[in-house]
Amino acid sequence: MNKLLHWTARSAGVIGVLLCVVSFLLRAAGVWVVGVFQVGTVFQAGMAAMILGCLAYLAVLVDGVRD
């Protein structure tokens, strides 16, 4: 279970950072809409993915303390 949570944390964190960087670059370029999504929505999705990564990593750390 810890391996699954660890990989979830890593992948969600990387995806979140990439989404935030892409939304920042698009907003800096003056683009407000990507496909059917606004750039702010892409940024919020990136933040949500990073929070998921943080919570998954926290679960790994807490579970490691109990062992």
Side-chain angles (χ1 to χ4, degrees):
M1 185 67 173
N2 277 347
K3 283 190 175 188
L4 177 64
L5 282 172
H6 211 134
W7 279 105
T8 302
R10 287 178 181 165
S11 61
V14 168
I15 290 169
V17 168
L18 289 176
L19 283 173
C20 287
V21 167
V22 165
S23 68
F24 171 76
L25 293 175
L26 288 172
R27 180 68 64 103
V31 177
W32 297 99
V33 177
V34 178
V36 295
F37 296 109
Q38 292 182 358
V39 175
T41 304
V42 176
F43 183 70
Q44 286 181 339
M47 289 191 311
M50 285 191 288
I51 290 170
L52 174 67
C54 289
L55 291 175
Y57 190 62
L58 179 65
V60 170
L61 290 175
V62 168
D63 196 34
V65 171
R66 282 191 241 154
D67 290 341

